[in-house]
Amino acid sequence: MLNVLLLAVLVLAEGASDVCVTRAMKSVGEVNTLVPRELLRIGRRVLATGAFRLGLVFMATGFFAFLALLARVDMSVVVPATALIYVVSMLGAKYVLKEEVSTLRWAGTALVCLGVVLTSLP
Amino acid sequence: MKGVAAQLPDGARLSPLLLVRGMESPLVWIGILLLLVFLGLFLSVLSREDLSFVLPVLSVGYILNVASARVFLHEPVSPVRWAGTVFIVLGVVMVSVTARATARAARAAEGATGAAAPAAGTGAAGASVAEAEDPPC
């Protein structure tokens, strides 16, 4: 039961982190430069956004849930299960970020999920 | 980390000592550096593309993972695992096709509404960043 709970925390936190970080980057604007000084300036602006900080908190939560799960369950079970993050992130992209997700993109993502599960099996 | 773990006694292989000893390995530091590079590039791509496009395409990393495990670490790769990489490639190709379609639709919408409408997603802050910076390459 605790394992299922940890997996739910991992998947939801990673999905939420993807959505928050994307929102932060979209609010800062397109990164079109390779000049270090400009990149540093953009980095500071990204760090100042609440969405990015929230994303970092979710990222850390997901990471620790991942570590806790690895301590209890085999990696060959945990890593395929993390393919669920794609599903949560896609739902977040569609319903929170209001992205247009076509049927082809859903189908492609489903194939990727299946592929991630297969490549992670022992 | 496998190299570090091999130098420790059996009982210490899951202890915090592993992390401390890991910090002494240059390979671990190279790994951390590459993770930071990944984070920077990931954020840059997210500023320009849809999350629903970036995530599936990033899974190409799983294929590199399998291939490098085979080539550099000499790990055996089962047929199931190779089949998984084929699914990932197919999925990524499908998602990439939708990116072109989305870009075409965006251009068409822009053409229909005229140049007066700025990109709503980026907002004023995004426009100023884009103006202040050099074009890529």
Side-chain angles (χ1 to χ4, degrees):
Chain A
M1 191 59 205
L2 184 60
N3 293 345
V4 176
L5 191 70
L6 280 172
L7 181 66
V9 170
L10 163 65
V11 168
L12 291 176
E14 290 287 345
S17 137
D18 283 339
V19 170
C20 288
V21 167
T22 306
R23 173 152 287 178
M25 291 314 292
K26 290 279 192 288
S27 75
V28 165
E30 288 195 7
V31 179
N32 287 326
T33 182
L34 288 174
V35 182
R37 201 159 45 88
E38 286 293 317
L39 287 175
L40 211 65
R41 196 170 61 83
I42 297 171
R44 271 204 297 271
R45 273 176 52 185
V46 172
L47 278 173
T49 61
F52 185 77
R53 291 178 184 179
L54 192 62
L56 276 187
V57 171
F58 279 128
M59 213 180 273
T61 309
F63 180 69
F64 285 114
F66 181 65
L67 287 188
L69 211 51
L70 278 184
R72 304 167 56 88
V73 188
D74 277 352
M75 190 165 138
S76 56
V77 176
V78 178
V79 177
T82 56
L84 283 173
I85 295 170
Y86 285 97
V87 180
V88 174
S89 294
M90 289 295 275
L91 289 173
K94 183 168 169 54
Y95 293 106
V96 181
L97 300 172
K98 311 281 183 213
E99 288 180 8
E100 293 246 345
V101 184
S102 62
T103 317
L104 191 61
R105 195 173 280 190
W106 277 117
T109 309
L111 274 184
V112 166
C113 275
L114 185 62
V116 170
V117 171
L118 289 180
T119 50
S120 321
L121 290 177
Chain B
M1 289 307 279
K2 292 223 170 171
V4 174
Q7 293 167 5
L8 292 174
D10 273 349
R13 284 193 184 171
L14 282 176
S15 77
L17 190 63
L18 183 66
L19 279 182
V20 177
R21 293 292 289 273
M23 289 294 166
E24 292 169 9
S25 161
L27 279 177
V28 170
W29 284 105
I30 292 173
I32 291 173
L33 192 68
L34 288 176
L35 270 180
L36 286 176
V37 171
F38 163 80
L39 189 65
L41 292 174
F42 179 57
L43 293 179
S44 306
V45 172
L46 279 183
S47 76
R48 305 161 66 99
E49 297 288 345
D50 280 354
L51 174 66
S52 57
F53 166 71
V54 175
L55 271 188
V57 171
L58 268 187
S59 60
V60 168
Y62 282 92
I63 300 170
L64 288 177
N65 221 331
V66 171
S68 54
R70 174 89 186 81
V71 174
F72 298 114
L73 302 176
H74 306 292
E75 289 179 8
V77 178
S78 66
V80 174
R81 213 170 258 188
W82 285 123
T85 61
V86 172
F87 277 119
I88 292 179
V89 171
L90 284 177
V92 168
V93 168
M94 283 164 76
V95 173
S96 314
V97 170
T98 66
R100 279 208 294 278
T102 313
R104 261 204 308 277
R107 270 202 303 277
E110 214 168 277
T113 54
T122 50
S128 70
V129 169
E131 280 161 16
E133 286 156 9
D134 300 331
C137 305

